[in-house]
């Protein structure tokens, strides 16, 4: 298949924009299973509205509105809506606080 020379600059710019957009999506860091402790995680649906501090692989930690969907005495599983779908990660319990609905 050949390249369209007439609109080459336009499609190159679109491709560059898509690459930049995909690279700008931050990845949350989650705690390893060893951090969960011995107590089992209690799961719930629907989730409880919370504020959660999320650490990102390529950026600073941010406080976001989320839902706590599971927890024990050490960790909390939080979920939130983000660009591209629902995201989740496991954070320390003291990084989460309840919020008003």
């Amino acid at each position: 298949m050949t390249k369209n020379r007439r609109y080459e600059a336009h499609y190159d710019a679109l491709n560059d924009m898509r690459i930049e957009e995909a690279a700008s999506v931050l990845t949350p860091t989650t705690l390893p299973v060893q951090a969960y402790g011995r107590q089992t995680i209690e799961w719930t649906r629907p989730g409880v509205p919370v504020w959660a501090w999320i650490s990102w692989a390529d950026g600073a930690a941010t406080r976001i509105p989320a839902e706590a969907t599971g927890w024990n005495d050490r960790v909390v599983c939080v979920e939130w809506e983000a660009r591209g779908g629902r995201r989740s990660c496991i954070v320390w319990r003291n990084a989460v606080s309840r919020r008003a609905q």
Side-chain angles (χ1 to χ4, degrees):
M1 189 165 194
T2 61
K3 191 171 185 178
N4 185 336
R5 300 276 181 208
R6 184 173 184 183
Y7 302 107
E8 181 177 9
H10 171 72
Y11 287 110
D12 284 346
L14 281 177
N15 192 38
D16 291 344
M17 184 178 66
R18 289 183 185 128
I19 291 170
E20 184 178 319
E21 185 177 305
S24 70
V25 175
L26 295 175
T27 304
T29 57
T30 192
L31 295 173
V33 175
Q34 295 83 357
Y36 297 6
R38 293 179 186 223
Q39 189 177 5
T40 60
I41 295 180
E42 298 176 35
W43 299 99
T44 183
R45 287 284 184 205
V48 177
V50 295
W51 287 103
W53 284 97
I54 306 297
S55 297
W56 305 97
D58 300 327
T62 55
R63 186 177 183 224
I64 63 167
E67 292 180 353
T69 57
W71 56 82
N72 68 11
D73 63 332
R74 298 175 96 185
V75 297
V76 178
C77 178
V78 293
E79 295 183 0
W80 66 96
E81 289 296 327
R83 199 171 39 160
R86 196 151 180 87
R87 310 284 298 269
S88 68
C89 71
I90 304 289
V91 298
W92 292 113
R93 187 174 186 141
N94 63 355
V96 177
S97 60
R98 285 185 183 251
R99 66 180 164 95
Q101 295 180 1

XYZ file of all heavy atoms in Angstrom:
814
model
N 0.847 -1.172 0.000
C 0.000 0.000 0.000
C 0.895 1.239 0.000
O 1.885 1.294 0.700
C -0.886 -0.031 1.238
C -1.930 0.999 1.247
S -3.136 0.558 2.511
C -4.405 1.635 2.031
N 0.532 2.221 -0.771
C 1.345 3.430 -0.877
C 0.842 4.507 0.078
O -0.277 4.455 0.568
C 1.305 3.984 -2.320
O -0.036 4.316 -2.630
C 1.849 2.970 -3.300
N 1.687 5.473 0.325
C 1.363 6.574 1.221
C 0.719 7.702 0.428
O 1.147 8.016 -0.677
C 2.651 7.058 1.885
C 2.440 7.996 3.015
C 3.738 8.242 3.732
C 3.526 9.100 4.944
N 4.759 9.323 5.672
N -0.302 8.323 0.985
C -0.998 9.420 0.344
C -0.135 10.678 0.456
O -0.023 11.278 1.517
C -2.354 9.632 1.019
C -3.185 10.674 0.319
O -2.673 11.547 -0.362
N -4.492 10.576 0.508
N 0.485 11.074 -0.633
C 1.386 12.232 -0.633
C 0.632 13.561 -0.562
O 1.161 14.551 -0.074
C 2.264 12.230 -1.885
C 3.118 11.014 -2.017
C 4.356 11.192 -1.226
N 5.201 10.014 -1.386
C 6.042 9.593 -0.512
N 6.174 10.236 0.618
N 6.758 8.526 -0.711
N -0.594 13.555 -1.023
C -1.341 14.807 -1.052
C -1.641 15.313 0.359
O -1.580 16.506 0.622
C -2.634 14.597 -1.831
C -3.442 15.848 -2.002
C -4.599 15.623 -2.919
N -5.319 16.852 -3.141
C -6.409 16.944 -3.850
N -6.900 15.878 -4.442
N -7.015 18.092 -4.002
N -2.002 14.414 1.250
C -2.365 14.793 2.617
C -1.362 14.252 3.638
O -1.705 14.037 4.794
C -3.763 14.273 2.945
C -4.820 14.792 2.002
C -5.398 13.969 1.049
C -5.237 16.118 2.075
C -6.371 14.448 0.183
C -6.206 16.603 1.218
C -6.774 15.768 0.275
O -7.726 16.241 -0.579
N -0.148 14.052 3.204
C 0.879 13.449 4.040
C 1.094 14.206 5.356
O 1.110 13.610 6.426
C 2.196 13.371 3.270
C 3.322 12.749 4.046
C 4.592 12.637 3.216
O 4.654 13.192 2.107
O 5.523 11.992 3.709
N 1.228 15.521 5.290
C 1.479 16.321 6.490
C 0.301 16.233 7.461
O 0.492 16.133 8.677
C 1.753 17.774 6.120
N -0.913 16.237 6.907
C -2.102 16.155 7.752
C -2.147 14.834 8.520
O -2.356 14.814 9.744
C -3.360 16.311 6.899
C -4.635 16.035 7.632
N -5.146 16.899 8.575
C -5.488 14.983 7.585
C -6.259 16.401 9.063
N -6.485 15.231 8.469
N -1.954 13.733 7.822
C -2.024 12.427 8.477
C -0.825 12.167 9.379
O -0.955 11.491 10.400
C -2.193 11.312 7.434
C -3.583 11.323 6.855
C -3.812 11.704 5.540
C -4.688 10.997 7.634
C -5.084 11.742 5.013
C -5.965 11.045 7.126
C -6.156 11.410 5.812
O -7.428 11.456 5.313
N 0.307 12.709 9.064
C 1.459 12.608 9.968
C 1.185 13.356 11.276
O 1.519 12.872 12.356
C 2.727 13.157 9.306
C 3.309 12.192 8.290
O 2.900 11.006 8.277
O 4.181 12.618 7.508
N 0.549 14.528 11.174
C 0.214 15.297 12.371
C -0.825 14.557 13.225
O -0.727 14.531 14.457
C -0.309 16.681 11.989
N -1.820 13.946 12.574
C -2.816 13.164 13.308
C -2.166 11.980 14.022
O -2.474 11.687 15.180
C -3.897 12.639 12.364
C -4.976 13.614 11.933
C -5.923 12.940 10.941
C -5.750 14.120 13.126
N -1.268 11.308 13.335
C -0.579 10.163 13.932
C 0.280 10.603 15.121
O 0.285 9.947 16.167
C 0.276 9.462 12.880
C 0.769 8.130 13.352
O 0.043 7.411 14.037
N 1.992 7.790 13.000
N 0.997 11.710 14.975
C 1.809 12.230 16.078
C 0.932 12.592 17.279
O 1.310 12.343 18.425
C 2.611 13.452 15.631
C 3.710 13.099 14.640
O 4.054 11.898 14.532
O 4.213 14.025 13.979
N -0.241 13.172 17.020
C -1.158 13.546 18.083
C -1.656 12.298 18.825
O -1.724 12.281 20.049
C -2.342 14.325 17.521
C -3.315 14.841 18.570
S -4.677 15.795 17.877
C -5.532 14.540 16.944
N -1.978 11.233 18.091
C -2.444 9.992 18.722
C -1.349 9.342 19.554
O -1.609 8.819 20.636
C -2.943 9.025 17.655
C -4.246 9.460 17.035
C -4.757 8.452 16.040
N -5.935 8.961 15.379
C -6.098 9.009 14.077
N -5.156 8.554 13.255
N -7.198 9.478 13.561
N -0.125 9.372 19.079
C 0.997 8.814 19.829
C 1.210 9.604 21.114
O 1.395 9.035 22.188
C 2.276 8.788 18.973
C 2.135 7.753 17.858
C 3.509 8.510 19.828
C 3.234 7.805 16.824
N 1.162 10.932 21.024
C 1.335 11.781 22.201
C 0.221 11.563 23.216
O 0.456 11.508 24.425
C 1.372 13.243 21.770
C 1.640 14.206 22.898
C 1.707 15.646 22.401
O 2.285 15.886 21.332
O 1.167 16.513 23.109
N -1.017 11.403 22.734
C -2.154 11.171 23.625
C -2.024 9.833 24.347
O -2.271 9.735 25.549
C -3.448 11.190 22.817
C -4.703 11.076 23.649
C -5.948 11.174 22.798
O -6.086 12.164 22.069
O -6.771 10.249 22.862
N -1.597 8.801 23.631
C -1.429 7.482 24.260
C -0.304 7.495 25.287
O -0.396 6.851 26.334
C -1.145 6.433 23.191
N 0.744 8.236 25.019
C 1.875 8.296 25.940
C 1.557 9.130 27.180
O 2.188 8.951 28.215
C 3.096 8.871 25.230
N 0.574 10.015 27.087
C 0.264 10.897 28.211
C -0.637 10.247 29.261
O -0.853 10.815 30.316
C -0.395 12.181 27.710
O -1.697 11.907 27.239
N -1.162 9.054 28.975
C -2.015 8.363 29.937
C -1.136 7.835 31.068
O -0.213 7.066 30.849
C -2.789 7.210 29.270
C -3.566 6.417 30.295
C -3.708 7.747 28.196
N -1.425 8.275 32.279
C -0.638 7.857 33.435
C -1.056 6.475 33.911
O -2.224 6.120 33.854
C -0.806 8.863 34.565
C -0.271 10.266 34.294
C -0.616 11.190 35.451
C 1.221 10.230 34.088
N -0.092 5.718 34.394
C -0.348 4.387 34.915
C -0.296 4.421 36.438
O 0.727 4.817 36.999
C 0.716 3.404 34.388
O 0.726 3.455 32.968
C 0.433 1.994 34.854
N -1.381 4.005 37.113
C -1.345 4.004 38.576
C -0.466 2.857 39.083
O -0.398 1.800 38.473
C -2.800 3.788 38.966
C -3.404 3.066 37.817
C -2.664 3.554 36.593
N 0.200 3.090 40.213
C 0.983 2.016 40.826
C 0.136 1.370 41.913
O -0.583 2.046 42.644
C 2.297 2.539 41.432
O 1.999 3.551 42.379
C 3.200 3.115 40.366
N 0.209 0.074 41.985
C -0.568 -0.673 42.960
C 0.368 -1.399 43.913
O 1.517 -1.682 43.561
C -1.520 -1.663 42.249
O -2.447 -2.186 43.171
C -0.775 -2.770 41.549
N -0.108 -1.674 45.099
C 0.710 -2.357 46.095
C 0.840 -3.844 45.752
O -0.092 -4.442 45.211
C 0.086 -2.211 47.482
C 0.044 -0.798 48.036
C -0.746 -0.775 49.337
C 1.442 -0.268 48.253
N 1.959 -4.462 46.095
C 2.109 -5.896 45.831
C 1.262 -6.723 46.805
O 0.866 -6.247 47.881
C 3.599 -6.139 46.069
C 4.016 -5.077 47.008
C 3.171 -3.876 46.670
N 0.997 -7.950 46.451
C 0.169 -8.842 47.261
C 0.745 -9.019 48.663
O -0.003 -9.150 49.639
C 0.030 -10.212 46.561
C -0.732 -11.201 47.428
C -0.654 -10.051 45.227
N 2.055 -8.967 48.820
C 2.686 -9.131 50.130
C 2.263 -8.030 51.104
O 2.336 -8.215 52.317
C 4.216 -9.149 50.007
C 4.757 -10.319 49.236
C 4.735 -10.106 47.729
O 4.263 -9.092 47.224
N 5.231 -11.093 46.999
N 1.837 -6.882 50.615
C 1.430 -5.764 51.476
C 0.020 -5.940 52.039
O -0.357 -5.243 52.972
C 1.502 -4.458 50.689
N -0.758 -6.860 51.508
C -2.159 -7.012 51.914
C -2.319 -7.498 53.352
O -3.339 -7.243 53.968
C -2.899 -7.979 51.004
C -3.016 -7.557 49.567
C -2.388 -6.424 49.062
C -3.762 -8.314 48.689
C -2.505 -6.067 47.738
C -3.888 -7.963 47.357
C -3.261 -6.841 46.888
O -3.387 -6.500 45.579
N -1.340 -8.202 53.884
C -1.459 -8.751 55.230
C -2.222 -10.058 55.231
O -2.586 -10.597 54.192
N -2.499 -10.555 56.441
C -3.152 -11.869 56.582
C -4.666 -11.797 56.482
O -5.321 -12.755 56.099
C -2.766 -12.491 57.918
C -1.318 -12.842 57.987
C -0.973 -13.424 59.332
N 0.462 -13.631 59.413
C 1.016 -14.699 59.923
N 0.269 -15.651 60.416
N 2.316 -14.819 59.952
N -5.241 -10.671 56.846
C -6.701 -10.541 56.834
C -7.212 -10.525 55.397
O -6.639 -9.866 54.526
C -7.119 -9.265 57.560
C -8.599 -9.158 57.793
C -8.958 -7.907 58.573
O -8.112 -7.070 58.853
N -10.218 -7.779 58.916
N -8.311 -11.248 55.142
C -8.867 -11.292 53.793
C -9.523 -9.958 53.442
O -9.962 -9.211 54.319
C -9.915 -12.417 53.654
O -10.961 -12.183 54.585
C -9.289 -13.774 53.890
N -9.597 -9.687 52.163
C -10.223 -8.447 51.682
C -11.731 -8.643 51.624
O -12.215 -9.642 51.095
C -9.659 -8.041 50.319
C -8.181 -7.685 50.464
C -10.446 -6.890 49.714
C -7.504 -7.276 49.179
N -12.472 -7.684 52.173
C -13.934 -7.691 52.123
C -14.361 -6.893 50.896
O -14.049 -5.710 50.783
C -14.525 -7.044 53.376
C -14.181 -7.753 54.662
C -14.705 -6.999 55.866
O -15.798 -6.387 55.761
O -14.017 -7.006 56.893
N -15.072 -7.529 49.977
C -15.501 -6.886 48.736
C -16.932 -6.403 48.875
O -17.745 -7.026 49.552
C -15.386 -7.856 47.565
C -13.985 -8.311 47.360
C -13.443 -9.487 47.776
C -12.932 -7.583 46.728
N -12.121 -9.544 47.427
C -11.772 -8.394 46.775
C -12.846 -6.342 46.127
C -10.558 -7.991 46.240
C -11.633 -5.941 45.582
C -10.512 -6.754 45.647
N -17.245 -5.289 48.208
C -18.594 -4.727 48.265
C -18.970 -4.109 46.919
O -18.128 -3.579 46.215
C -18.715 -3.666 49.383
O -20.054 -3.204 49.433
C -17.800 -2.500 49.153
N -20.234 -4.210 46.587
C -20.813 -3.545 45.426
C -22.145 -2.973 45.853
O -22.924 -3.694 46.464
C -21.038 -4.508 44.250
C -19.795 -4.912 43.554
C -19.325 -3.794 42.687
N -18.144 -4.261 41.930
C -17.234 -3.479 41.461
N -17.326 -2.188 41.633
N -16.218 -3.936 40.805
N -22.492 -1.761 45.600
C -21.652 -0.742 44.966
C -20.562 -0.272 45.916
O -20.627 -0.505 47.123
C -22.635 0.385 44.657
C -23.685 0.260 45.708
C -23.798 -1.222 46.010
N -19.599 0.405 45.346
C -18.480 0.902 46.136
C -18.866 2.065 47.034
O -19.890 2.722 46.839
N -18.023 2.312 48.018
C -18.210 3.420 48.958
C -17.456 4.644 48.414
O -16.283 4.530 48.073
C -17.657 3.038 50.352
C -17.769 4.192 51.313
C -18.361 1.799 50.869
N -18.112 5.819 48.305
C -17.422 7.006 47.791
C -16.278 7.437 48.715
O -16.478 7.580 49.923
C -18.496 8.083 47.737
C -19.794 7.389 47.942
C -19.513 6.085 48.602
N -15.104 7.627 48.132
C -13.916 8.001 48.915
C -13.068 9.006 48.134
O -13.238 9.197 46.934
C -13.043 6.764 49.247
C -13.772 5.795 50.152
C -12.554 6.087 47.988
N -12.157 9.638 48.859
C -11.057 10.389 48.271
C -9.833 9.492 48.419
O -9.590 8.956 49.505
C -10.801 11.696 49.009
C -11.840 12.734 48.759
C -12.846 13.099 49.600
C -11.976 13.545 47.595
N -13.601 14.094 49.032
C -13.079 14.379 47.794
C -11.274 13.641 46.402
C -13.508 15.294 46.840
C -11.692 14.562 45.457
C -12.800 15.374 45.679
N -9.079 9.301 47.357
C -7.925 8.402 47.424
C -6.691 9.071 46.828
O -6.773 9.726 45.789
C -8.218 7.111 46.667
N -5.572 8.898 47.505
C -4.294 9.349 46.984
C -3.743 8.234 46.110
O -3.490 7.128 46.577
C -3.316 9.664 48.109
C -3.613 10.964 48.766
C -4.320 11.166 49.911
C -3.209 12.255 48.309
N -4.393 12.500 50.195
C -3.714 13.206 49.224
C -2.476 12.712 47.214
C -3.505 14.568 49.082
C -2.274 14.068 47.064
C -2.779 14.985 47.989
N -3.578 8.526 44.813
C -3.089 7.541 43.848
C -1.676 7.929 43.439
O -1.423 9.075 43.052
C -3.994 7.492 42.596
C -5.453 7.248 42.986
C -3.501 6.443 41.612
C -5.722 5.934 43.656
N -0.770 6.975 43.503
C 0.603 7.192 43.026
C 0.677 6.750 41.575
O 0.159 5.695 41.204
C 1.593 6.371 43.858
O 1.575 6.783 45.191
N 1.328 7.557 40.759
C 1.445 7.273 39.331
C 2.875 6.880 38.993
O 3.811 7.404 39.584
C 1.030 8.498 38.525
C -0.338 8.977 38.888
C -0.642 9.974 39.750
C -1.582 8.455 38.432
N -1.997 10.119 39.859
C -2.598 9.201 39.054
C -1.930 7.434 37.553
C -3.947 8.950 38.820
C -3.271 7.190 37.327
C -4.261 7.942 37.948
N 3.022 5.992 38.028
C 4.345 5.517 37.631
C 5.204 6.650 37.081
O 6.411 6.686 37.316
C 4.216 4.404 36.595
N 4.585 7.578 36.359
C 5.349 8.641 35.704
C 4.982 10.034 36.189
O 5.172 11.013 35.467
C 5.132 8.583 34.189
C 5.581 7.266 33.602
O 6.556 6.705 34.124
O 4.954 6.794 32.635
N 4.453 10.146 37.399
C 4.055 11.466 37.870
C 3.879 11.506 39.378
O 4.073 10.506 40.067
N 3.483 12.657 39.847
C 3.278 12.857 41.286
C 1.955 12.243 41.723
O 1.028 12.085 40.921
C 3.282 14.351 41.593
N 1.851 11.910 43.000
C 0.611 11.376 43.554
C -0.471 12.458 43.522
O -0.189 13.638 43.722
C 0.834 10.899 44.982
N -1.695 12.043 43.248
C -2.815 12.979 43.212
C -3.979 12.412 44.004
O -4.150 11.201 44.122
C -3.288 13.263 41.771
O -3.594 12.023 41.129
C -2.243 14.001 40.979
N -4.792 13.312 44.538
C -5.989 12.928 45.288
C -7.172 12.998 44.341
O -7.457 14.044 43.755
C -6.188 13.876 46.465
C -7.295 13.480 47.381
C -7.341 14.447 48.556
N -8.361 14.051 49.502
C -9.201 14.894 50.062
N -9.126 16.179 49.801
N -10.102 14.460 50.908
N -7.865 11.873 44.180
C -8.974 11.812 43.235
C -10.221 11.250 43.903
O -10.132 10.498 44.871
C -8.619 10.943 42.002
C -8.370 9.493 42.427
C -7.434 11.498 41.246
C -8.333 8.535 41.278
N -11.411 11.594 43.391
C -12.631 10.954 43.883
C -12.710 9.547 43.296
O -12.477 9.345 42.108
C -13.743 11.849 43.349
C -13.156 12.554 42.182
C -11.680 12.648 42.432
N -13.007 8.567 44.139
C -13.046 7.180 43.698
C -14.089 6.423 44.515
O -14.816 7.019 45.309
C -11.666 6.546 43.870
N -14.147 5.111 44.301
C -15.011 4.228 45.078
C -14.156 3.128 45.680
O -13.342 2.522 44.987
C -16.074 3.590 44.195
C -17.101 4.546 43.665
C -18.136 3.839 42.801
O -17.967 2.630 42.514
O -19.098 4.492 42.408
N -14.345 2.886 46.966
C -13.668 1.766 47.623
C -14.529 0.531 47.394
O -15.689 0.484 47.795
C -13.507 2.044 49.106
N -13.973 -0.479 46.734
C -14.730 -1.689 46.423
C -14.279 -2.890 47.238
O -14.915 -3.931 47.194
C -14.633 -2.011 44.929
O -13.259 -2.149 44.573
C -15.287 -0.930 44.094
N -13.184 -2.758 47.966
C -12.705 -3.834 48.823
C -11.657 -3.299 49.779
O -10.943 -2.352 49.448
N -11.582 -3.888 50.990
C -10.611 -3.401 51.971
C -10.382 -4.442 53.050
O -11.158 -5.372 53.231
C -11.077 -2.096 52.604
C -12.427 -2.185 53.242
C -12.723 -2.656 54.480
C -13.665 -1.828 52.658
N -14.072 -2.607 54.715
C -14.675 -2.101 53.602
C -14.032 -1.299 51.425
C -16.027 -1.867 53.348
C -15.366 -1.071 51.182
C -16.343 -1.336 52.138
N -9.283 -4.255 53.752
C -9.009 -4.988 54.983
C -8.325 -4.019 55.939
O -8.409 -2.806 55.744
C -8.201 -6.269 54.731
C -6.786 -6.026 54.268
O -6.265 -4.913 54.302
N -6.128 -7.082 53.824
N -7.627 -4.525 56.961
C -7.026 -3.625 57.947
C -5.808 -2.876 57.423
O -5.350 -1.929 58.056
C -6.652 -4.408 59.209
C -5.601 -5.480 58.948
O -5.542 -5.998 57.815
O -4.853 -5.805 59.881
N -5.270 -3.236 56.241
C -4.053 -2.597 55.729
C -4.222 -1.878 54.391
O -3.580 -0.865 54.160
C -2.962 -3.649 55.559
C -2.570 -4.304 56.871
C -1.601 -5.393 56.631
N -0.264 -4.875 56.827
C 0.833 -5.562 56.591
N 0.763 -6.777 56.106
N 2.013 -5.023 56.813
N -5.049 -2.408 53.490
C -5.138 -1.876 52.126
C -6.588 -1.675 51.700
O -7.508 -2.239 52.306
C -4.438 -2.812 51.112
C -2.958 -2.914 51.391
C -5.081 -4.176 51.076
N -6.759 -0.866 50.642
C -8.080 -0.604 50.061
C -7.967 -0.716 48.547
O -7.027 -0.206 47.945
C -8.594 0.806 50.437
C -9.941 1.079 49.795
C -8.672 0.972 51.938
N -8.930 -1.363 47.931
C -9.026 -1.398 46.471
C -9.936 -0.242 46.058
O -11.083 -0.163 46.489
C -9.612 -2.718 45.993
S -9.816 -2.782 44.204
N -9.405 0.673 45.260
C -10.195 1.820 44.798
C -10.373 1.742 43.290
O -9.501 1.274 42.561
C -9.556 3.171 45.202
C -9.600 3.357 46.690
C -8.156 3.287 44.698
N -11.545 2.201 42.818
C -11.859 2.242 41.393
C -12.371 3.629 41.045
O -12.993 4.290 41.862
C -12.930 1.212 41.044
C -12.501 -0.211 41.226
C -13.571 -1.199 40.797
O -14.654 -0.770 40.349
O -13.326 -2.408 40.903
N -12.102 4.060 39.811
C -12.574 5.356 39.345
C -12.709 5.323 37.834
O -12.129 4.486 37.160
C -11.631 6.478 39.792
C -10.270 6.429 39.168
C -9.837 7.116 38.067
C -9.151 5.631 39.580
N -8.532 6.811 37.781
C -8.085 5.899 38.700
C -8.942 4.715 40.612
C -6.847 5.277 38.815
C -7.708 4.101 40.723
C -6.687 4.395 39.838
N -13.511 6.250 37.330
C -13.686 6.390 35.885
C -12.585 7.289 35.342
O -12.317 8.344 35.896
C -15.049 6.997 35.541
C -16.215 6.074 35.789
C -16.204 4.834 34.920
O -15.743 4.898 33.759
O -16.645 3.784 35.411
N -11.939 6.853 34.284
C -10.879 7.629 33.653
C -11.056 7.558 32.142
O -11.893 6.794 31.645
C -9.513 7.080 34.054
N -10.280 8.355 31.454
C -10.325 8.320 30.002
C -9.937 6.910 29.546
O -8.929 6.369 29.958
C -9.328 9.337 29.448
C -9.580 9.722 28.039
C -8.727 10.863 27.647
N -7.376 10.763 28.206
C -6.340 11.403 27.740
N -6.485 12.208 26.723
N -5.153 11.278 28.298
N -10.770 6.293 28.768
C -10.488 4.951 28.294
C -11.134 3.852 29.121
O -10.991 2.689 28.823
N -11.870 4.198 30.178
C -12.573 3.180 30.950
C -12.313 3.248 32.440
O -11.675 4.160 32.946
N -12.797 2.253 33.131
C -12.690 2.194 34.594
C -11.308 1.693 34.983
O -10.813 0.726 34.433
C -13.770 1.259 35.137
C -14.004 1.399 36.609
C -15.455 1.028 36.918
N -15.762 1.134 38.329
C -16.162 2.239 38.907
N -16.292 3.343 38.206
N -16.444 2.267 40.192
N -10.686 2.356 35.952
C -9.354 1.993 36.441
C -9.463 1.564 37.892
O -10.387 1.951 38.591
C -8.408 3.196 36.362
C -8.362 3.924 35.039
C -7.598 3.224 33.956
N -6.200 3.024 34.223
C -5.231 3.854 33.901
N -5.505 4.990 33.310
N -3.980 3.554 34.168
N -8.496 0.798 38.367
C -8.474 0.385 39.768
C -7.049 0.117 40.207
O -6.171 -0.159 39.381
C -9.328 -0.862 39.992
O -8.737 -1.973 39.363
N -6.826 0.216 41.507
C -5.538 -0.151 42.087
C -5.717 -0.345 43.587
O -6.738 0.008 44.158
C -4.451 0.876 41.775
S -4.629 2.435 42.613
N -4.697 -0.932 44.203
C -4.690 -1.170 45.641
C -3.767 -0.134 46.280
O -2.627 0.033 45.842
C -4.175 -2.591 45.967
C -5.004 -3.660 45.252
C -4.140 -2.819 47.470
C -6.389 -3.849 45.771
N -4.280 0.572 47.305
C -3.492 1.591 48.004
C -3.519 1.307 49.497
O -4.345 0.529 49.982
C -4.028 3.020 47.719
C -3.928 3.363 46.244
C -5.456 3.175 48.201
N -2.624 1.958 50.249
C -2.618 1.832 51.702
C -3.911 2.401 52.264
O -4.468 3.369 51.737
C -1.434 2.560 52.320
C -0.120 1.949 52.002
C 0.872 2.484 51.248
C 0.367 0.668 52.433
N 1.945 1.618 51.173
C 1.650 0.489 51.895
C -0.166 -0.358 53.219
C 2.421 -0.649 52.127
C 0.591 -1.494 53.441
C 1.857 -1.629 52.894
N -4.372 1.850 53.356
C -5.634 2.284 53.954
C -5.597 3.759 54.376
O -6.577 4.472 54.254
C -5.953 1.389 55.159
C -7.304 1.670 55.729
C -7.661 0.681 56.812
N -9.025 0.931 57.216
C -9.881 -0.001 57.512
N -9.527 -1.256 57.461
N -11.106 0.311 57.882
N -4.455 4.239 54.874
C -4.380 5.636 55.309
C -4.313 6.619 54.145
O -4.316 7.828 54.359
C -3.224 5.848 56.276
C -1.883 5.575 55.656
O -1.805 5.142 54.513
N -0.819 5.796 56.413
N -4.307 6.143 52.896
C -4.342 7.014 51.719
C -5.778 7.254 51.244
O -5.994 7.878 50.211
C -3.526 6.402 50.584
N -6.746 6.774 52.009
C -8.158 6.841 51.613
C -8.978 7.464 52.741
O -8.766 7.159 53.906
C -8.703 5.431 51.294
C -10.171 5.473 50.949
C -7.897 4.794 50.172
N -9.915 8.353 52.371
C -10.865 8.903 53.347
C -12.251 8.970 52.699
O -12.368 9.167 51.495
C -10.413 10.286 53.826
O -10.333 11.185 52.735
N -13.281 8.803 53.515
C -14.645 8.840 52.998
C -15.000 10.245 52.510
O -14.489 11.225 53.018
C -15.649 8.438 54.075
C -15.647 6.960 54.337
C -16.754 6.626 55.331
N -16.733 5.222 55.644
C -17.660 4.369 55.226
N -18.670 4.794 54.514
N -17.570 3.099 55.535
N -15.895 10.290 51.522
C -16.384 11.586 51.055
C -17.896 11.541 50.996
O -18.503 10.477 50.925
C -15.805 11.945 49.686
C -16.232 11.077 48.552
C -15.584 11.538 47.238
N -15.692 10.506 46.241
C -16.655 10.432 45.318
N -17.586 11.367 45.279
N -16.679 9.449 44.455
N -18.498 12.732 51.052
C -19.952 12.821 50.971
C -20.394 12.505 49.548
O -19.706 12.829 48.582
C -20.425 14.218 51.359
N -21.530 11.860 49.422
C -22.027 11.500 48.090
C -22.561 12.704 47.429
O -22.602 13.048 46.404
C -23.102 10.435 48.192
C -22.549 9.151 48.734
C -23.635 8.085 48.825
O -24.776 8.287 48.478
N -23.262 6.937 49.321
